[in-house]
Amino acid sequence: MPCHFLNRRSFLKHSFLATIALSAGGLGWADQLQAAKKPANRLSLLHLHTGERLAVNFRDSRGSYVQQALEAIDRLLRCHHTEEIHPIDIRTLEYLSQVDRKLGGNHEIHIVSGYRSPHYNKMLLAQGRQVAKRSLHLEGRALDIRIPGVRTASLRKAALDLQLGGVGYYPRSDFVHLDSGAFRSW
């Protein structure tokens, strides 16, 4: 078989996969193919406002996302003020998981804020709290966290080193903001 045929065939196959990946919405083929290369991932979470804990593998040993685990995470990270549940962006969970791994892994991550309902966000704004009017918390794309035994400065550095999304540093309030938006820091 001529070498140019293999190259052309390989090119066409990869072009087809790229086209599918670019045209897919939400968690696209590219994300799914990338996830398939990753091993199972476990998150251990404690929501500080509700006292609820969850330790769950959100990806199985083949790298596929576990729907039941994602739904449990959505429930845990719901707006604690209104009880409204909203899907948490998988990229935010992946970012959180990678930060945990960078810091040694298997930490219980304390959630200061997960999803925030529009009603609760407006209430916080009216109280003069330091929240954004168009916060990514409203879309399930942001988490405010701390990890017991890990200085927030170290947590911030780990997140910044990954450059996967937004990183906010609130040392006086003792938490770090992570989101799946464009890489930036404050």
Side-chain angles (χ1 to χ4, degrees), residues 79-95:
C79 178
H80 70 274
H81 185 76
T82 65
E83 298 293 313
E84 185 179 328
I85 297 172
H86 188 281
I88 302 301
D89 183 15
I90 197 70
R91 292 169 299 184
T92 304
L93 297 177
E94 290 288 358
Y95 193 9

Side-chain angles (χ1 to χ4, degrees), residues 114-138:
Y115 169 69
R116 199 181 295 147
S117 71
H119 171 77
Y120 185 51
N121 202 64
K122 285 179 189 172
M123 186 182 91
L124 293 173
L125 281 167
Q127 292 174 354
R129 302 289 278 284
Q130 193 176 3
V131 298
K133 189 181 254 186
R134 294 187 192 143
S135 170
L136 290 178
H137 286 277
L138 297 165

